[in-house]
């Protein structure tokens, strides 16, 4: 079944307009936000390393779910998608493999958000509360603590910014995809997925090999 349509806009370029999203896929999007972001700030290298690994997991998971929103068929067994263990081996290849099937226009939505976040002075203020708030939707205390950890990491460690922005970009597009599909279902018209304006190509600092592979840079 066709999952989206493309609309060419003379000012905004190619827009991606989702069609119907099945309930089980919408539930996956909601669950994909649940990441155990750290709720403390440790100046040592271990927390930074752990946080960057969570960014890799969140980005790969988000792109896998987005590939199924865009028309792919998820496997019957998905326990490997939800575990919070470090992403390696078969789990990694499954997520990377799903991300590799993402159509170019859909990946372009993620790249637009990612480059915008890295190109604006407000990147930390935008990415941190979104990632934390969607990960801990029922606990304001944990969400606030995780927000500060993510924000201060983004602010103090320039090399962390591409990874945090990548996790945010993948999360935002899948959520905004569902919102656009809801509007399409309600009104029957083409509703494009919201994205921020695409920014300049980011500097190479912090653009790790997994980002290059998942984003096809």
């Amino acid at each position: 079944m066709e999952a989206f349509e493309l609309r060419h806009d003379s000012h905004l370029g190619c827009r991606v307009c989702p069609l119907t999203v099945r309930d089980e896929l919408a539930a996956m999007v909601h669950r994909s936000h649940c990441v155990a972001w750290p709720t403390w700030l440790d100046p040592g290298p271990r927390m930074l390393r752990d946080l960057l690994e969570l960014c890799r997991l969140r980005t790969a998971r988000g792109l896998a779910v987005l590939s199924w929103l865009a028309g792919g068929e998820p496997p019957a067994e998905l326990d490997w998608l939800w575990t919070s263990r470090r992403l390696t081996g078969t789990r990694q290849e499954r997520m990377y493999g799903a991300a590799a099937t993402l159509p170019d226009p859909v990946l372009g939505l993620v790249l637009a958000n990612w480059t915008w976040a890295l190109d604006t002075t407000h990147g930390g203020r935008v990415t941190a509360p979104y990632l934390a708030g969607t990960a801990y939707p029922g606990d304001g205390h944990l969400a606030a603590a995780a927000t500060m950890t993510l924000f201060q990491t983004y602010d103090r460690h320039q090399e962390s910014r591409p990874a945090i922005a990548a996790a945010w970009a993948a999360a935002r597009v899948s959520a905004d995809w569902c919102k656009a599909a809801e509007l399409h279902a309600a009104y029957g018209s083409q509703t494009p997925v919201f994205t921020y304006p695409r920014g300049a190509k980011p500097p190479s600092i912090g653009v790790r090999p997994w980002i290059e592979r998942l984003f096809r840079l």
Side-chain angles (χ1 to χ4, degrees):
M1 183 175 66
E2 189 177 10
F4 66 92
E5 296 174 341
L6 298 179
R7 189 178 82 191
H8 295 278
D9 187 290
S10 58
H11 298 291
L12 300 174
C14 182
R15 312 299 301 280
V16 178
C17 303
L19 300 176
T20 303
V21 171
R22 304 197 308 268
D23 290 343
E24 61 268 27
L25 289 177
M28 283 185 197
V29 172
H30 178 75
R31 187 174 180 183
S32 69
H33 291 298
C34 297
V35 173
W37 300 111
T39 55
W40 72 97
L41 189 65
D42 183 345
R46 178 178 178 179
M47 196 210 72
L48 177 61
R49 183 173 62 250
D50 290 346
L51 189 145
L52 294 178
E53 275 299 312
L54 287 173
C55 287
R56 183 165 74 100
L57 171 64
R58 181 64 190 89
T59 305
R61 179 192 288 171
L63 293 180
V65 172
L66 188 58
S67 75
W68 302 327
L69 289 172
E73 190 61 34
E77 191 278 311
L78 285 170
D79 288 346
W80 54 271
L81 188 68
W82 307 124
T83 179
S84 60
R85 296 194 309 272
R86 186 173 183 271
L87 191 57
T88 58
T90 302
R91 288 178 60 238
Q92 174 177 299
E93 291 310 311
R94 283 177 172 176
M95 289 192 209
Y96 283 20
T101 68
L102 202 60
D104 288 337
V106 180
L107 180 61
L109 303 174
V110 181
L111 292 175
N113 280 350
W114 180 62
T115 54
W116 175 85
L118 295 174
D119 198 40
T120 180
T121 56
H122 306 297
R125 296 184 182 93
V126 172
T127 58
Y130 184 87
L131 290 170
T134 54
Y136 301 108
D139 193 323
H141 178 76
L142 285 179
T147 295
M148 290 308 300
T149 299
L150 285 160
F151 174 74
Q152 291 185 30
T153 301
Y154 193 100
D155 187 54
R156 298 176 183 180
H157 299 277
Q158 185 177 357
E159 71 276 14
S160 74
R161 295 173 186 175
I164 295 173
W168 169 80
R172 273 299 305 256
V173 170
S174 59
D176 288 337
W177 184 289
C178 291
K179 292 177 183 176
E182 288 175 5
L183 291 172
H184 170 75
Y187 299 104
S189 59
Q190 287 185 329
T191 304
V193 179
F194 170 82
T195 61
Y196 289 87
R198 189 158 184 164
K201 182 179 179 181
S204 59
I205 181 171
V207 179
R208 298 168 181 270
W210 63 264
I211 298 177
E212 295 179 335
R213 179 174 175 180
L214 289 171
F215 286 176
R216 306 175 203 161
L217 302 178

